[in-house]
């Protein structure tokens, strides 16, 4: 299952996504964690020191070889350079298996049973010449070509704000957890996300963070209604992790919140037909808007109308 953590800057989405990933791994469940935030902090949140976190290979630095691999023998894609972040798979494309033996997963770093991938930071060499979407494009291609099964978890810590909606990336997830503080700004981001996602059948559940009282819970419920799934309160365990100390057990109420989130993810039903249809829809939009002009060829022809994901469990 493909899961995204989104929210405004400072909402605690990286903290919540790392807790969720740790919770999955602690239960012996297979998980790939992807740091797709412009500020790369997920590795440290998962327990790496800053030096080791900085050495995790950046997907964005290997975009050309990633495209060449995924392109495979697809005759509709003239070259790897003609692939863009929205290019959907077709006959002859190489599909990815969860934690498979391929060039993308070869870039992963293993930490405490977690497979960690990272887009890479927006660094000094990128200033003035690059768009961060060139880095998150690797994540979108990864998700577009990944044939994950139920019981396999891909958890993406997204960049802050509404950047998820800059392409079709927001439709690549089975579920989006929107981390919201019980404030006007926190619920304002919720309204923005639901407005953008309204016409695309995107599942969004709100996870309250930094909740201190029943009044906070009531505030969130009043503004987000039934989309409020659960909430996380102040945590001595989280504070210890942020200080580099391990061994402080997560509070029972917060553990229950994480368990409820897993249950919500497991309840989702994969819809591969919709997944591919939306990939095609946004690729066509991007092709007509900018991509065909940039590539110097009609990228709408990359769409294979006969392609179906070869998954027996699709329904």
């Amino acid at each position: 299952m493909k899961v995204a953590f989104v929210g405004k800057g400072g909402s605690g989405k990286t903290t919540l996504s790392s807790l969720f990933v740790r919770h999955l791994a602690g239960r012996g469940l297979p998980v790939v964690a992807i740091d797709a935030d412009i500020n790369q902090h997920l590795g440290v949140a998962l327990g790496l020191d800053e030096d080791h976190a900085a050495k995790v290979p950046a997907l964005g630095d290997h975009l050309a070889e990633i495209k060449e691999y995924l392109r495979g023998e697809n005759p509709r894609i003239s070259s790897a350079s003609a692939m863009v972040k929205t290019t959907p798979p077709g006959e002859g494309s190489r599909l990815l298996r969860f934690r498979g033996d391929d060039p993308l997963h070869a870039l992963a770093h293993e930490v405490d049973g977690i497979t960690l991938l990272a887009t890479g930071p927006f660094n000094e060499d990128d200033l003035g010449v690059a768009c961060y979407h060139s880095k998150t494009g690797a994540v979108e291609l990864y998700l577009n070509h990944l044939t994950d099964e139920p019981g396999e978890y891909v958890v993406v810590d997204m960049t802050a704000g509404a950047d998820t909606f800059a392409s079709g990336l927001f439709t690549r997830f089975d579920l989006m957890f929107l981390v919201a503080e019980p404030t006007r700004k926190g619920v304002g981001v919720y309204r923005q996300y639901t407005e953008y996602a309204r016409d695309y059948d995107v599942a969004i559940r709100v996870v309250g963070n930094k909740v201190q009282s029943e009044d906070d819970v009531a505030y969130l419920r009043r503004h987000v209604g039934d989309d409020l799934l659960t909430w996380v309160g102040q945590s001595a365990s989280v504070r210890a992790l942020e200080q580099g100390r391990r061994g402080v057990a997560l509070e029972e109420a917060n553990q229950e919140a994480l368990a409820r989130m897993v249950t919500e993810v497991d309840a989702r039903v994969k819809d591969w037909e919709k997944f591919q249809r939306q990939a095609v829809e946004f690729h066509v939009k991007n092709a007509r808007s900018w991509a065909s002009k940039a590539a110097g060829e009609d990228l709408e022809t990359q769409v294979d109308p006969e392609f179906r994901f070869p998954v027996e469990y699709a329904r």
Side-chain angles (χ1 to χ4, degrees):
M1 305 297 280
K2 302 178 178 80
V3 182
F5 278 77
V6 297
K8 75 175 185 64
S11 64
K13 64 181 181 58
T14 297
T15 297
L16 264 292
S17 59
S18 67
L19 288 176
F20 185 70
V21 166
R22 285 174 179 270
H23 182 78
L24 291 169
R27 292 175 54 183
L29 297 171
V31 57
V32 172
I34 304 179
D35 192 344
D37 196 349
I38 193 169
N39 299 306
Q40 302 271 283
H41 295 311
L42 184 59
V44 172
L46 291 174
L48 295 177
D49 61 44
E50 291 190 4
D51 287 341
H52 282 91
K55 293 177 182 177
V56 177
L59 294 176
D61 291 343
H62 298 268
L63 193 54
E65 59 202 81
I66 288 171
K67 289 179 178 181
E68 189 62 56
Y69 177 81
L70 295 177
R71 175 192 172 215
E73 301 297 326
N74 188 333
R76 293 176 176 270
I77 303 174
S78 62
S79 66
S81 62
M83 286 186 75
V84 292
K85 60 187 177 181
T86 56
T87 296
E91 187 67 32
S93 296
R94 288 193 178 100
L95 300 180
L96 302 171
R97 279 295 300 123
F98 179 84
R99 299 205 294 195
D101 181 15
D102 58 69
L104 284 89
H105 290 104
L107 298 172
H109 184 94
E110 299 296 321
V111 49
D112 294 339
I114 299 159
T115 300
L116 174 64
L117 292 167
T119 60
F122 197 71
N123 55 46
E124 187 173 329
D125 291 339
D126 298 317
L127 293 178
V129 298
C131 170
Y132 190 66
H133 298 148
S134 65
K135 297 180 183 291
T136 57
V139 176
E140 190 161 352
L141 286 167
Y142 173 85
L143 296 173
N144 264 351
H145 291 76
L146 180 67
T147 56
D148 54 310
E149 299 186 19
E152 299 172 340
Y153 302 88
V154 178
V155 181
V156 184
D157 180 23
M158 288 299 303
T159 191
D163 211 45
T164 309
F165 296 93
S167 66
L169 185 55
F170 71 102
T171 67
R172 303 298 81 199
F173 301 104
D174 298 293
L175 184 61
M176 296 176 72
F177 286 129
L178 193 154
V179 180
E181 299 170 84
T183 63
R184 285 180 291 180
K185 286 185 178 180
V187 299
V189 171
Y190 163 78
R191 286 191 288 269
Q192 183 183 37
Y193 268 65
T194 52
E195 178 67 24
Y196 287 154
R198 175 180 298 169
D199 297 329
Y200 296 97
D201 191 24
V202 174
I204 297 177
R205 297 293 179 268
V206 175
V207 178
N209 193 30
K210 306 177 186 178
V211 171
Q212 299 182 18
S213 66
E214 286 298 322
D215 287 342
D216 285 345
V217 175
Y219 180 87
L220 286 169
R221 187 168 282 126
R222 185 163 65 250
H223 287 278
V224 309
D226 292 340
D227 283 342
L228 179 62
L229 175 67
T230 189
W231 53 89
V232 173
Q234 299 293 321
S235 172
S237 175
V238 170
R239 177 66 67 185
L241 289 171
E242 289 174 342
Q243 294 173 348
R245 295 184 290 115
R246 292 197 180 197
V248 180
L250 189 67
E251 297 78 8
E252 183 176 349
N254 290 335
Q255 290 186 41
E256 290 174 355
L258 295 172
R260 187 169 185 185
M261 292 164 68
V262 175
T263 298
E264 187 72 12
V265 173
D266 289 344
R268 302 297 304 170
V269 176
K270 301 286 286 187
D271 187 341
W272 287 102
E273 183 179 346
K274 182 183 79 171
F275 185 78
Q276 179 67 2
R277 183 179 68 250
Q278 291 182 332
V280 169
E281 176 183 350
F282 279 95
H283 179 65
V284 169
K285 284 184 177 182
N286 276 264
R288 293 176 179 176
S289 175
W290 65 271
S292 290
K293 182 177 181 180
E297 61 181 274
D298 182 6
L299 298 191
E300 290 186 56
T301 62
Q302 292 180 340
V303 173
D304 181 351
E306 303 301 320
F307 176 79
R308 301 292 183 274
F309 278 93
V311 284
E312 295 179 1
Y313 48 86
R315 58 185 185 272

